[in-house]
């Protein structure tokens, strides 16, 4: 197990063309309190949730570069 920063992961992705499962499927679970209201509205009222993790919702367009969905960025969390 190795810890890496977002910046290091970005370099890895560019070098290897690695694609995460969130990128493949087009969505990821995000902690509901972190999701922008506009993104919530775009995803609709019927949020897919995991009964084992009630505060997490499926957000279309969320992946490592856009951790809370299309309107977010990892840029302020590179390290």
């Amino acid at each position: 197990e190795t810890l890496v920063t977002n910046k290091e992961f970005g370099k890895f992705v560019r070098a290897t063309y690695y694609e995460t499962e969130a990128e493949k499927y087009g969505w990821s679970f995000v902690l509901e309190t972190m999701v922008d209201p506009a993104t919530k509205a775009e995803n609709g009222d019927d949020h897919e949730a995991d009964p084992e993790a009630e505060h997490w919702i499926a957000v279309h367009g969320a992946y490592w570069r856009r951790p809370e969905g299309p309107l977010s960025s990892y840029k302020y969390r590179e390290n």
Side-chain angles (χ1 to χ4, degrees):
E1 189 173 312
T2 302
L3 299 176
V4 297
T5 65
N6 286 326
K7 189 174 187 176
E8 292 168 330
F9 187 71
K11 288 179 183 179
F12 164 75
V13 168
R14 284 188 293 282
T16 64
Y17 301 99
Y18 181 77
E19 186 176 45
T20 64
E21 288 185 357
E23 290 170 288
K24 288 177 189 173
Y25 301 129
W27 67 276
S28 182
F29 281 112
V30 178
L31 186 61
E32 187 171 16
T33 58
M34 299 297 290
V35 179
D36 182 271
T39 300
K40 275 188 189 179
E42 203 171 277
N43 277 296
D45 292 331
D46 188 26
H47 300 295
E48 184 179 338
D50 181 341
E52 303 275 326
E54 65 184 77
H55 300 291
W56 293 80
I57 59 172
V59 175
H60 296 284
Y63 67 108
W64 73 273
R65 282 190 188 164
R66 306 255 182 248
E68 289 91 31
L71 301 177
S72 66
S73 174
Y74 78 104
K75 284 295 186 180
Y76 297 110
R77 304 173 214 174
E78 287 188 306
N79 298 307

